């Protein structure tokens, strides 16, 4: 708003406060957009990496198991049984990546709703959390915690599968 000659001190204060509120609202919206964008990019990379590694391991182990089924000797039968456990760990890791992806989606929806539910006003601090925004924020944090846990468990499944796979192959 422009300040006109003859505006009262109260009107000038109102206009300055209004301009400051509008700038704060715009800055808030832009900050949230950038933070969500970068957080989402990092989360997607973590999920993609875990999914690619676990998925590749599943394919490799099942290809090995298929080759072992073609052979009919005692060593191949023993290896088939020993390598199944790592295969299921890798597959479980891949499933956990899918869960992480879904939970990440729900987290973003909840955070977006929380953002929409904040009260934008023209009195300092210009942005106020509401009961609804707090609930959506908590829901988003819960979904995010599940997603992060699923990715961590996916990597744990991968590492455990590698250890068991190494043990199985070194015994044969």
């Amino acid at each position: 708003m422009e300040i006109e000659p003859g505006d009262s001190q109260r009107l000038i204060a109102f206009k300055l406060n209004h301009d400051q509120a509008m700038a704060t609202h715009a800055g808030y919206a832009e900050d949230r957009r950038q933070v969500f964008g970068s957080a989402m990019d990092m989360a997607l990379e973590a999920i993609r990496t875990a999914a690619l590694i676990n998925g590749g391991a599943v394919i490799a182990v099942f290809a090995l198991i298929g080759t072992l089924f073609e052979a009919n000797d005692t060593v191949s039968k023993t290896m088939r049984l020993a390598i199944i456990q790592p295969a299921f760990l890798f597959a479980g890791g891949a499933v956990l990546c899918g869960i992480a992806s879904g939970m990440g989606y729900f987290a973003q929806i909840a955070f977006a709703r929380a953002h929409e539910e904040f009260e934008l006003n023209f009195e300092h601090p210009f942005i106020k959390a509401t009961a609804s925004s707090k609930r959506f924020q908590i829901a988003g944090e819960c979904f995010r915690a599940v997603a992060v846990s699923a990715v961590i468990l996916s990597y744990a499944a991968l590492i455990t599968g590698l250890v068991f796979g190494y043990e199985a192959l070194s015994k044969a």
Side-chain angles (χ1 to χ4, degrees), residues 97-127:
C97 291
I99 291 169
S101 182
M103 292 297 109
Y105 171 76
F106 290 130
Q108 289 306 110
I109 294 295
F111 287 135
R113 282 298 308 271
H115 182 70
E116 291 171 4
E117 296 294 323
F118 271 83
E119 180 183 312
L120 305 179
N121 57 49
F122 292 97
E123 295 175 10
H124 196 272
F126 309 118
I127 301 166

PDB file of all heavy atoms in Angstrom, residues 97-127:
ATOM      1  N   CYS A  97      10.744 -50.528   0.757  1.00  0.00           N
ATOM      2  CA  CYS A  97      10.893 -49.318  -0.066  1.00  0.00           C
ATOM      3  C   CYS A  97       9.542 -48.848  -0.584  1.00  0.00           C
ATOM      4  O   CYS A  97       9.269 -47.651  -0.633  1.00  0.00           O
ATOM      5  CB  CYS A  97      11.841 -49.572  -1.226  1.00  0.00           C
ATOM      6  SG  CYS A  97      13.537 -49.806  -0.708  1.00  0.00           S
ATOM      7  N   GLY A  98       8.697 -49.790  -0.975  1.00  0.00           N
ATOM      8  CA  GLY A  98       7.346 -49.436  -1.406  1.00  0.00           C
ATOM      9  C   GLY A  98       6.549 -48.816  -0.273  1.00  0.00           C
ATOM     10  O   GLY A  98       5.832 -47.830  -0.466  1.00  0.00           O
ATOM     11  N   ILE A  99       6.675 -49.386   0.909  1.00  0.00           N
ATOM     12  CA  ILE A  99       5.993 -48.823   2.081  1.00  0.00           C
ATOM     13  C   ILE A  99       6.517 -47.416   2.363  1.00  0.00           C
ATOM     14  O   ILE A  99       5.739 -46.498   2.631  1.00  0.00           O
ATOM     15  CB  ILE A  99       6.175 -49.748   3.303  1.00  0.00           C
ATOM     16  CG1 ILE A  99       5.391 -51.044   3.087  1.00  0.00           C
ATOM     17  CG2 ILE A  99       5.753 -49.057   4.594  1.00  0.00           C
ATOM     18  CD1 ILE A  99       5.697 -52.133   4.093  1.00  0.00           C
ATOM     19  N   ALA A 100       7.826 -47.236   2.285  1.00  0.00           N
ATOM     20  CA  ALA A 100       8.421 -45.921   2.521  1.00  0.00           C
ATOM     21  C   ALA A 100       7.894 -44.897   1.516  1.00  0.00           C
ATOM     22  O   ALA A 100       7.584 -43.761   1.877  1.00  0.00           O
ATOM     23  CB  ALA A 100       9.946 -46.002   2.439  1.00  0.00           C
ATOM     24  N   SER A 101       7.774 -45.315   0.279  1.00  0.00           N
ATOM     25  CA  SER A 101       7.258 -44.418  -0.755  1.00  0.00           C
ATOM     26  C   SER A 101       5.823 -44.000  -0.450  1.00  0.00           C
ATOM     27  O   SER A 101       5.476 -42.814  -0.528  1.00  0.00           O
ATOM     28  CB  SER A 101       7.334 -45.111  -2.111  1.00  0.00           C
ATOM     29  OG  SER A 101       6.885 -44.263  -3.127  1.00  0.00           O
ATOM     30  N   GLY A 102       4.989 -44.955  -0.082  1.00  0.00           N
ATOM     31  CA  GLY A 102       3.599 -44.643   0.257  1.00  0.00           C
ATOM     32  C   GLY A 102       3.494 -43.747   1.476  1.00  0.00           C
ATOM     33  O   GLY A 102       2.719 -42.781   1.496  1.00  0.00           O
ATOM     34  N   MET A 103       4.272 -44.037   2.497  1.00  0.00           N
ATOM     35  CA  MET A 103       4.237 -43.220   3.714  1.00  0.00           C
ATOM     36  C   MET A 103       4.773 -41.808   3.433  1.00  0.00           C
ATOM     37  O   MET A 103       4.286 -40.829   3.995  1.00  0.00           O
ATOM     38  CB  MET A 103       5.046 -43.874   4.834  1.00  0.00           C
ATOM     39  CG  MET A 103       4.442 -45.155   5.373  1.00  0.00           C
ATOM     40  SD  MET A 103       2.824 -44.907   6.130  1.00  0.00           S
ATOM     41  CE  MET A 103       1.772 -45.707   4.929  1.00  0.00           C
ATOM     42  N   GLY A 104       5.761 -41.721   2.553  1.00  0.00           N
ATOM     43  CA  GLY A 104       6.265 -40.406   2.161  1.00  0.00           C
ATOM     44  C   GLY A 104       5.190 -39.585   1.469  1.00  0.00           C
ATOM     45  O   GLY A 104       5.060 -38.377   1.694  1.00  0.00           O
ATOM     46  N   TYR A 105       4.400 -40.241   0.636  1.00  0.00           N
ATOM     47  CA  TYR A 105       3.288 -39.572  -0.041  1.00  0.00           C
ATOM     48  C   TYR A 105       2.279 -39.052   0.983  1.00  0.00           C
ATOM     49  O   TYR A 105       1.866 -37.897   0.943  1.00  0.00           O
ATOM     50  CB  TYR A 105       2.617 -40.533  -1.020  1.00  0.00           C
ATOM     51  CG  TYR A 105       1.325 -40.011  -1.600  1.00  0.00           C
ATOM     52  CD1 TYR A 105       1.339 -39.043  -2.599  1.00  0.00           C
ATOM     53  CD2 TYR A 105       0.095 -40.450  -1.117  1.00  0.00           C
ATOM     54  CE1 TYR A 105       0.155 -38.547  -3.116  1.00  0.00           C
ATOM     55  CE2 TYR A 105      -1.083 -39.960  -1.632  1.00  0.00           C
ATOM     56  CZ  TYR A 105      -1.054 -39.004  -2.630  1.00  0.00           C
ATOM     57  OH  TYR A 105      -2.226 -38.508  -3.122  1.00  0.00           O
ATOM     58  N   PHE A 106       1.895 -39.927   1.923  1.00  0.00           N
ATOM     59  CA  PHE A 106       0.930 -39.501   2.941  1.00  0.00           C
ATOM     60  C   PHE A 106       1.497 -38.390   3.821  1.00  0.00           C
ATOM     61  O   PHE A 106       0.768 -37.482   4.235  1.00  0.00           O
ATOM     62  CB  PHE A 106       0.489 -40.690   3.799  1.00  0.00           C
ATOM     63  CG  PHE A 106      -0.381 -41.668   3.062  1.00  0.00           C
ATOM     64  CD1 PHE A 106      -0.098 -43.017   3.098  1.00  0.00           C
ATOM     65  CD2 PHE A 106      -1.476 -41.243   2.335  1.00  0.00           C
ATOM     66  CE1 PHE A 106      -0.894 -43.930   2.420  1.00  0.00           C
ATOM     67  CE2 PHE A 106      -2.280 -42.145   1.644  1.00  0.00           C
ATOM     68  CZ  PHE A 106      -1.983 -43.495   1.696  1.00  0.00           C
ATOM     69  N   ALA A 107       2.794 -38.437   4.095  1.00  0.00           N
ATOM     70  CA  ALA A 107       3.426 -37.374   4.882  1.00  0.00           C
ATOM     71  C   ALA A 107       3.326 -36.042   4.152  1.00  0.00           C
ATOM     72  O   ALA A 107       2.959 -35.020   4.742  1.00  0.00           O
ATOM     73  CB  ALA A 107       4.888 -37.714   5.162  1.00  0.00           C
ATOM     74  N   GLN A 108       3.610 -36.050   2.852  1.00  0.00           N
ATOM     75  CA  GLN A 108       3.539 -34.808   2.084  1.00  0.00           C
ATOM     76  C   GLN A 108       2.115 -34.257   2.036  1.00  0.00           C
ATOM     77  O   GLN A 108       1.902 -33.051   2.116  1.00  0.00           O
ATOM     78  CB  GLN A 108       4.085 -35.017   0.676  1.00  0.00           C
ATOM     79  CG  GLN A 108       5.569 -35.198   0.631  1.00  0.00           C
ATOM     80  CD  GLN A 108       6.309 -34.067   1.312  1.00  0.00           C
ATOM     81  OE1 GLN A 108       6.892 -34.248   2.363  1.00  0.00           O
ATOM     82  NE2 GLN A 108       6.301 -32.893   0.737  1.00  0.00           N
ATOM     83  N   ILE A 109       1.130 -35.145   1.897  1.00  0.00           N
ATOM     84  CA  ILE A 109      -0.264 -34.701   1.903  1.00  0.00           C
ATOM     85  C   ILE A 109      -0.593 -34.055   3.240  1.00  0.00           C
ATOM     86  O   ILE A 109      -1.219 -32.981   3.297  1.00  0.00           O
ATOM     87  CB  ILE A 109      -1.220 -35.893   1.619  1.00  0.00           C
ATOM     88  CG1 ILE A 109      -1.026 -36.431   0.215  1.00  0.00           C
ATOM     89  CG2 ILE A 109      -2.675 -35.510   1.865  1.00  0.00           C
ATOM     90  CD1 ILE A 109      -1.392 -35.479  -0.888  1.00  0.00           C
ATOM     91  N   ALA A 110      -0.182 -34.690   4.338  1.00  0.00           N
ATOM     92  CA  ALA A 110      -0.466 -34.146   5.667  1.00  0.00           C
ATOM     93  C   ALA A 110       0.236 -32.808   5.876  1.00  0.00           C
ATOM     94  O   ALA A 110      -0.361 -31.861   6.409  1.00  0.00           O
ATOM     95  CB  ALA A 110      -0.057 -35.149   6.751  1.00  0.00           C
ATOM     96  N   PHE A 111       1.500 -32.703   5.444  1.00  0.00           N
ATOM     97  CA  PHE A 111       2.220 -31.437   5.597  1.00  0.00           C
ATOM     98  C   PHE A 111       1.590 -30.333   4.758  1.00  0.00           C
ATOM     99  O   PHE A 111       1.505 -29.177   5.186  1.00  0.00           O
ATOM    100  CB  PHE A 111       3.693 -31.602   5.239  1.00  0.00           C
ATOM    101  CG  PHE A 111       4.492 -32.360   6.257  1.00  0.00           C
ATOM    102  CD1 PHE A 111       5.370 -33.340   5.860  1.00  0.00           C
ATOM    103  CD2 PHE A 111       4.365 -32.099   7.616  1.00  0.00           C
ATOM    104  CE1 PHE A 111       6.118 -34.059   6.782  1.00  0.00           C
ATOM    105  CE2 PHE A 111       5.099 -32.802   8.550  1.00  0.00           C
ATOM    106  CZ  PHE A 111       5.980 -33.776   8.131  1.00  0.00           C
ATOM    107  N   ALA A 112       1.156 -30.687   3.562  1.00  0.00           N
ATOM    108  CA  ALA A 112       0.486 -29.691   2.710  1.00  0.00           C
ATOM    109  C   ALA A 112      -0.806 -29.205   3.357  1.00  0.00           C
ATOM    110  O   ALA A 112      -1.109 -28.011   3.349  1.00  0.00           O
ATOM    111  CB  ALA A 112       0.204 -30.281   1.329  1.00  0.00           C
ATOM    112  N   ARG A 113      -1.580 -30.133   3.920  1.00  0.00           N
ATOM    113  CA  ARG A 113      -2.816 -29.748   4.619  1.00  0.00           C
ATOM    114  C   ARG A 113      -2.520 -28.903   5.843  1.00  0.00           C
ATOM    115  O   ARG A 113      -3.230 -27.935   6.127  1.00  0.00           O
ATOM    116  CB  ARG A 113      -3.618 -30.983   5.033  1.00  0.00           C
ATOM    117  CG  ARG A 113      -4.409 -31.628   3.927  1.00  0.00           C
ATOM    118  CD  ARG A 113      -5.487 -30.717   3.335  1.00  0.00           C
ATOM    119  NE  ARG A 113      -6.383 -30.118   4.303  1.00  0.00           N
ATOM    120  CZ  ARG A 113      -7.517 -30.634   4.757  1.00  0.00           C
ATOM    121  NH1 ARG A 113      -7.918 -31.799   4.299  1.00  0.00           N
ATOM    122  NH2 ARG A 113      -8.252 -30.005   5.634  1.00  0.00           N
ATOM    123  N   ALA A 114      -1.463 -29.232   6.575  1.00  0.00           N
ATOM    124  CA  ALA A 114      -1.068 -28.429   7.737  1.00  0.00           C
ATOM    125  C   ALA A 114      -0.758 -27.009   7.294  1.00  0.00           C
ATOM    126  O   ALA A 114      -1.184 -26.036   7.927  1.00  0.00           O
ATOM    127  CB  ALA A 114       0.136 -29.045   8.442  1.00  0.00           C
ATOM    128  N   HIS A 115      -0.052 -26.909   6.184  1.00  0.00           N
ATOM    129  CA  HIS A 115       0.303 -25.594   5.643  1.00  0.00           C
ATOM    130  C   HIS A 115      -0.949 -24.795   5.282  1.00  0.00           C
ATOM    131  O   HIS A 115      -1.038 -23.605   5.545  1.00  0.00           O
ATOM    132  CB  HIS A 115       1.201 -25.784   4.425  1.00  0.00           C
ATOM    133  CG  HIS A 115       1.671 -24.523   3.807  1.00  0.00           C
ATOM    134  ND1 HIS A 115       2.579 -23.694   4.407  1.00  0.00           N
ATOM    135  CD2 HIS A 115       1.357 -23.938   2.636  1.00  0.00           C
ATOM    136  CE1 HIS A 115       2.796 -22.647   3.630  1.00  0.00           C
ATOM    137  NE2 HIS A 115       2.067 -22.789   2.546  1.00  0.00           N
ATOM    138  N   GLU A 116      -1.926 -25.474   4.689  1.00  0.00           N
ATOM    139  CA  GLU A 116      -3.174 -24.807   4.320  1.00  0.00           C
ATOM    140  C   GLU A 116      -3.971 -24.362   5.539  1.00  0.00           C
ATOM    141  O   GLU A 116      -4.716 -23.385   5.473  1.00  0.00           O
ATOM    142  CB  GLU A 116      -4.046 -25.746   3.485  1.00  0.00           C
ATOM    143  CG  GLU A 116      -3.509 -26.031   2.108  1.00  0.00           C
ATOM    144  CD  GLU A 116      -4.278 -27.136   1.399  1.00  0.00           C
ATOM    145  OE1 GLU A 116      -5.286 -27.625   1.954  1.00  0.00           O
ATOM    146  OE2 GLU A 116      -3.864 -27.523   0.302  1.00  0.00           O
ATOM    147  N   GLU A 117      -3.834 -25.087   6.637  1.00  0.00           N
ATOM    148  CA  GLU A 117      -4.635 -24.815   7.826  1.00  0.00           C
ATOM    149  C   GLU A 117      -4.052 -23.714   8.714  1.00  0.00           C
ATOM    150  O   GLU A 117      -4.711 -23.280   9.653  1.00  0.00           O
ATOM    151  CB  GLU A 117      -4.805 -26.101   8.652  1.00  0.00           C
ATOM    152  CG  GLU A 117      -5.583 -27.180   7.942  1.00  0.00           C
ATOM    153  CD  GLU A 117      -7.032 -26.811   7.695  1.00  0.00           C
ATOM    154  OE1 GLU A 117      -7.643 -26.154   8.551  1.00  0.00           O
ATOM    155  OE2 GLU A 117      -7.560 -27.184   6.626  1.00  0.00           O
ATOM    156  N   PHE A 118      -2.830 -23.267   8.451  1.00  0.00           N
ATOM    157  CA  PHE A 118      -2.283 -22.156   9.237  1.00  0.00           C
ATOM    158  C   PHE A 118      -3.134 -20.918   9.004  1.00  0.00           C
ATOM    159  O   PHE A 118      -3.666 -20.704   7.912  1.00  0.00           O
ATOM    160  CB  PHE A 118      -0.831 -21.860   8.839  1.00  0.00           C
ATOM    161  CG  PHE A 118       0.181 -22.652   9.616  1.00  0.00           C
ATOM    162  CD1 PHE A 118       0.496 -23.940   9.255  1.00  0.00           C
ATOM    163  CD2 PHE A 118       0.808 -22.102  10.718  1.00  0.00           C
ATOM    164  CE1 PHE A 118       1.412 -24.682   9.959  1.00  0.00           C
ATOM    165  CE2 PHE A 118       1.734 -22.821  11.444  1.00  0.00           C
ATOM    166  CZ  PHE A 118       2.035 -24.124  11.063  1.00  0.00           C
ATOM    167  N   GLU A 119      -3.260 -20.126  10.019  1.00  0.00           N
ATOM    168  CA  GLU A 119      -4.054 -18.897   9.929  1.00  0.00           C
ATOM    169  C   GLU A 119      -3.119 -17.753   9.560  1.00  0.00           C
ATOM    170  O   GLU A 119      -2.181 -17.444  10.283  1.00  0.00           O
ATOM    171  CB  GLU A 119      -4.723 -18.620  11.277  1.00  0.00           C
ATOM    172  CG  GLU A 119      -5.561 -17.378  11.298  1.00  0.00           C
ATOM    173  CD  GLU A 119      -6.139 -17.133  12.681  1.00  0.00           C
ATOM    174  OE1 GLU A 119      -6.686 -18.081  13.275  1.00  0.00           O
ATOM    175  OE2 GLU A 119      -6.013 -15.984  13.160  1.00  0.00           O
ATOM    176  N   LEU A 120      -3.373 -17.156   8.410  1.00  0.00           N
ATOM    177  CA  LEU A 120      -2.616 -15.980   7.983  1.00  0.00           C
ATOM    178  C   LEU A 120      -3.422 -14.763   8.383  1.00  0.00           C
ATOM    179  O   LEU A 120      -4.585 -14.637   8.004  1.00  0.00           O
ATOM    180  CB  LEU A 120      -2.383 -16.011   6.476  1.00  0.00           C
ATOM    181  CG  LEU A 120      -1.720 -17.261   5.904  1.00  0.00           C
ATOM    182  CD1 LEU A 120      -1.588 -17.155   4.403  1.00  0.00           C
ATOM    183  CD2 LEU A 120      -0.371 -17.503   6.543  1.00  0.00           C
ATOM    184  N   ASN A 121      -2.801 -13.869   9.166  1.00  0.00           N
ATOM    185  CA  ASN A 121      -3.530 -12.686   9.616  1.00  0.00           C
ATOM    186  C   ASN A 121      -2.665 -11.447   9.471  1.00  0.00           C
ATOM    187  O   ASN A 121      -1.544 -11.518   8.975  1.00  0.00           O
ATOM    188  CB  ASN A 121      -4.025 -12.884  11.065  1.00  0.00           C
ATOM    189  CG  ASN A 121      -2.888 -13.193  12.013  1.00  0.00           C
ATOM    190  OD1 ASN A 121      -1.874 -12.503  12.006  1.00  0.00           O
ATOM    191  ND2 ASN A 121      -3.038 -14.236  12.806  1.00  0.00           N
ATOM    192  N   PHE A 122      -3.186 -10.334   9.909  1.00  0.00           N
ATOM    193  CA  PHE A 122      -2.480  -9.068   9.734  1.00  0.00           C
ATOM    194  C   PHE A 122      -1.988  -8.496  11.052  1.00  0.00           C
ATOM    195  O   PHE A 122      -1.725  -7.313  11.158  1.00  0.00           O
ATOM    196  CB  PHE A 122      -3.380  -8.074   8.990  1.00  0.00           C
ATOM    197  CG  PHE A 122      -3.614  -8.490   7.570  1.00  0.00           C
ATOM    198  CD1 PHE A 122      -4.758  -9.184   7.217  1.00  0.00           C
ATOM    199  CD2 PHE A 122      -2.675  -8.246   6.597  1.00  0.00           C
ATOM    200  CE1 PHE A 122      -4.968  -9.596   5.924  1.00  0.00           C
ATOM    201  CE2 PHE A 122      -2.857  -8.656   5.294  1.00  0.00           C
ATOM    202  CZ  PHE A 122      -4.014  -9.329   4.955  1.00  0.00           C
ATOM    203  N   GLU A 123      -1.862  -9.336  12.049  1.00  0.00           N
ATOM    204  CA  GLU A 123      -1.292  -8.942  13.322  1.00  0.00           C
ATOM    205  C   GLU A 123      -0.055  -9.792  13.563  1.00  0.00           C
ATOM    206  O   GLU A 123      -0.029 -10.971  13.225  1.00  0.00           O
ATOM    207  CB  GLU A 123      -2.307  -9.167  14.449  1.00  0.00           C
ATOM    208  CG  GLU A 123      -3.538  -8.290  14.328  1.00  0.00           C
ATOM    209  CD  GLU A 123      -4.583  -8.629  15.387  1.00  0.00           C
ATOM    210  OE1 GLU A 123      -4.273  -9.403  16.315  1.00  0.00           O
ATOM    211  OE2 GLU A 123      -5.701  -8.128  15.261  1.00  0.00           O
ATOM    212  N   HIS A 124       0.947  -9.178  14.147  1.00  0.00           N
ATOM    213  CA  HIS A 124       2.196  -9.878  14.405  1.00  0.00           C
ATOM    214  C   HIS A 124       1.914 -11.119  15.232  1.00  0.00           C
ATOM    215  O   HIS A 124       1.133 -11.060  16.158  1.00  0.00           O
ATOM    216  CB  HIS A 124       3.183  -8.948  15.127  1.00  0.00           C
ATOM    217  CG  HIS A 124       4.576  -9.448  15.074  1.00  0.00           C
ATOM    218  ND1 HIS A 124       5.065 -10.310  16.016  1.00  0.00           N
ATOM    219  CD2 HIS A 124       5.573  -9.261  14.173  1.00  0.00           C
ATOM    220  CE1 HIS A 124       6.301 -10.610  15.715  1.00  0.00           C
ATOM    221  NE2 HIS A 124       6.643  -9.983  14.617  1.00  0.00           N
ATOM    222  N   PRO A 125       2.419 -12.265  14.910  1.00  0.00           N
ATOM    223  CA  PRO A 125       3.474 -12.655  13.973  1.00  0.00           C
ATOM    224  C   PRO A 125       2.974 -12.969  12.560  1.00  0.00           C
ATOM    225  O   PRO A 125       3.715 -13.535  11.765  1.00  0.00           O
ATOM    226  CB  PRO A 125       4.072 -13.900  14.625  1.00  0.00           C
ATOM    227  CG  PRO A 125       2.931 -14.539  15.320  1.00  0.00           C
ATOM    228  CD  PRO A 125       2.069 -13.408  15.777  1.00  0.00           C
ATOM    229  N   PHE A 126       1.740 -12.655  12.231  1.00  0.00           N
ATOM    230  CA  PHE A 126       1.145 -12.747  10.895  1.00  0.00           C
ATOM    231  C   PHE A 126       0.773 -14.164  10.463  1.00  0.00           C
ATOM    232  O   PHE A 126       0.000 -14.331   9.546  1.00  0.00           O
ATOM    233  CB  PHE A 126       2.020 -12.096   9.822  1.00  0.00           C
ATOM    234  CG  PHE A 126       2.450 -10.704  10.159  1.00  0.00           C
ATOM    235  CD1 PHE A 126       3.781 -10.391  10.310  1.00  0.00           C
ATOM    236  CD2 PHE A 126       1.508  -9.703  10.346  1.00  0.00           C
ATOM    237  CE1 PHE A 126       4.181  -9.103  10.626  1.00  0.00           C
ATOM    238  CE2 PHE A 126       1.895  -8.406  10.657  1.00  0.00           C
ATOM    239  CZ  PHE A 126       3.244  -8.114  10.809  1.00  0.00           C
ATOM    240  N   ILE A 127       1.379 -15.171  11.065  1.00  0.00           N
ATOM    241  CA  ILE A 127       1.079 -16.567  10.749  1.00  0.00           C
ATOM    242  C   ILE A 127       0.895 -17.292  12.076  1.00  0.00           C
ATOM    243  O   ILE A 127       1.757 -17.228  12.945  1.00  0.00           O
ATOM    244  CB  ILE A 127       2.228 -17.221   9.954  1.00  0.00           C
ATOM    245  CG1 ILE A 127       2.452 -16.459   8.655  1.00  0.00           C
ATOM    246  CG2 ILE A 127       1.945 -18.686   9.690  1.00  0.00           C
ATOM    247  CD1 ILE A 127       3.732 -16.799   7.968  1.00  0.00           C
TER     248      ILE A 127
END
